[in-house]
Amino acid sequence: MTKPPVSHDHGAAMAAARSTIEAEAQATAALTERLGPLSLAVQMLLSHPGKIILCGMGKSGLIARKIAATLCSTGTPAVFLHPAEAVHGDLGMYSPGDPTILLSKSGSTLELVRLIPSLHHFHSPIISMVGNLESPLAQKADVVLDVSVDKEADPLGIVPTSSSIVTLAMGDALASALMTARGFVEEDFARLHPAGQLGRNMTMTVQEVMHRIETVATARPGTTLREVVIAMGERPFGAACVLDQDGNLVGIVTDGDVRRLFQSYEDIRGLTAGDAMTEGPLSIHPGASLSQAVQLMEDRPSQVSVLPVMEPGSKSCLGLLRLHDIYQPNLF
């Protein structure tokens, strides 16, 4: 039978959305007062040279998968084990002593409780992330991380909302603590993320992506603006580097500079590159990472889309880097 249309109260819907976010934020903030046992968990995991197993059912299982992925990407090998599949052969992933992190809001999830004897067989230290400190999983754990919440954040108070966010936050806190304890740095992160935009930005240098000066539009300060525009059309990289007779960079003319001049002058025939250029522009050296280039171009009140590439310690211009080049994967 088809349900009748539901009347939509936009104000009430938005109030529910706002209330959910506020309740989740409060529940997460309260977690900082219960981090004492986290230190024991960190010591336990640091002392084990192998992998960590994370296990949970339903929404807790989804959170466990994410925590496992975060741990792997930050230097701590971890895998997710589905508790129902575990007793049908997947326990074979265990090596003796592999620690297990069990996630359960109630702390009494039957599939997890039934795993305990098997975990003891593998001499697996157990860390429980539970919302009930009197539960079976809390009582049988070596370390208990309290992820309890006063109430769920949804309008009915029954959907895993605050409890999911708090458990995820505890997992992130654990990963951060382990990163710090291991001395995990950006270079380590880049080594584990060779693909994707993040990996490229951290592992590739400006020199590998930039357009060399012989392929870029260039001009002298006295070059007419008309000639500059023609050169930029022939070599459309969004800018022309203005060089002196020794090849040193004195300024840059961008597409935006040209547009602004057209807006300010009815007759541009008497204008030159020197009139249009930005003197002493922001630049970068060829050995810088793409991540450093992005930060230089974007983390500023007025973003820039092109950067001259300069020889370190000199004014010699080696080429041009565009923001577009950094975010264009087919160039790599």
Side-chain angles (χ1 to χ4, degrees):
M1 181 177 178
T2 303
K3 291 184 178 181
V6 177
S7 60
H8 175 59
D9 185 335
H10 179 74
M14 293 307 296
R18 186 175 297 106
S19 174
T20 296
I21 293 173
E22 291 173 348
E24 289 180 347
Q26 291 171 5
T28 304
L31 190 63
T32 60
E33 303 299 323
R34 308 197 298 272
L35 291 181
L38 189 72
S39 176
L40 297 176
V42 170
Q43 293 174 30
M44 176 188 294
L45 300 181
L46 285 175
S47 66
H48 180 66
K51 63 185 176 299
I52 300 168
I53 313 293
L54 289 98
C55 201
M57 282 293 293
K59 305 299 187 297
S60 293
L62 296 175
I63 297 299
R65 288 178 187 272
K66 191 276 177 186
I67 295 173
T70 298
L71 290 171
C72 283
S73 71
T74 54
T76 300
V79 295
F80 171 75
L81 172 64
H82 193 290
E85 299 292 342
V87 293
H88 290 278
D90 282 2
L91 283 171
M93 71 173 59
Y94 272 93
S95 296
D98 282 347
T100 304
I101 302 178
L102 301 176
L103 286 73
S104 171
K105 178 187 176 182
S106 68
S108 57
T109 304
L110 185 59
E111 292 86 350
L112 298 182
V113 174
R114 285 176 173 172
L115 273 183
I116 299 291
S118 296
L119 299 183
H120 288 161
H121 175 77
F122 288 104
H123 305 289
S124 173
I126 297 174
I127 299 171
S128 289
M129 288 190 190
V130 294
N132 181 356
L133 299 184
E134 303 300 322
S135 63
L137 292 182
Q139 294 173 2
K140 296 179 181 296
D142 298 289
V143 177
V144 181
L145 301 179
D146 182 0
V147 291
S148 60
V149 296
D150 291 335
K151 61 178 180 179
E152 297 290 6
D154 69 285
L156 300 178
I158 57 176
V159 178
T161 46
S162 292
S163 59
S164 294
I165 291 293
V166 165
T167 304
L168 182 59
M170 182 66 84
D172 288 342
L174 179 62
S176 295
L178 288 168
M179 286 172 65
T180 301
R182 295 184 191 279
F184 190 86
V185 295
E186 282 192 0
E187 289 76 14
D188 299 315
F189 191 84
R191 178 172 52 83
L192 299 178
H193 296 76
Q197 189 65 53
L198 182 61
R200 285 193 295 269
N201 285 3
M202 297 185 72
T203 58
M204 297 189 72
T205 64
V206 168
Q207 187 170 9
E208 295 176 277
V209 177
M210 73 180 195
H211 301 276
R212 299 193 176 278
I213 192 64
E214 57 267 21
T215 68
V216 176
T218 59
R220 295 288 176 81
T223 303
T224 67
L225 185 58
R226 181 177 183 275
E227 291 175 301
V228 174
V229 172
I230 291 173
M232 291 171 66
E234 293 173 345
R235 297 179 174 183
F237 295 128
C241 295
V242 184
L243 312 176
D244 64 16
Q245 60 184 7
D246 296 320
N248 295 322
L249 185 75
V250 294
I252 190 170
V253 179
T254 67
D255 287 340
D257 293 329
V258 174
R259 287 194 299 271
R260 284 185 287 274
L261 281 175
F262 272 96
Q263 292 172 346
S264 302
Y265 293 86
E266 291 186 6
D267 187 352
I268 66 165
R269 286 176 293 182
L271 298 179
T272 65
D275 298 319
M277 72 182 187
T278 298
E279 295 185 40
L282 197 65
S283 65
I284 196 166
H285 65 87
S289 69
L290 295 187
S291 180
Q292 291 172 310
V294 169
Q295 184 176 10
L296 187 60
M297 298 167 89
E298 293 188 336
D299 293 354
R300 50 191 301 104
S302 179
Q303 294 186 2
V304 297
S305 59
V306 292
L307 278 179
V309 182
M310 305 288 289
E311 187 72 53
S314 79
K315 295 183 179 179
S316 177
C317 185
L318 301 178
L320 194 69
L321 176 70
R322 303 178 302 169
L323 193 62
H324 178 75
D325 300 323
I326 297 173
Y327 289 121
Q328 186 63 265
N330 61 11
L331 293 177
F332 307 143

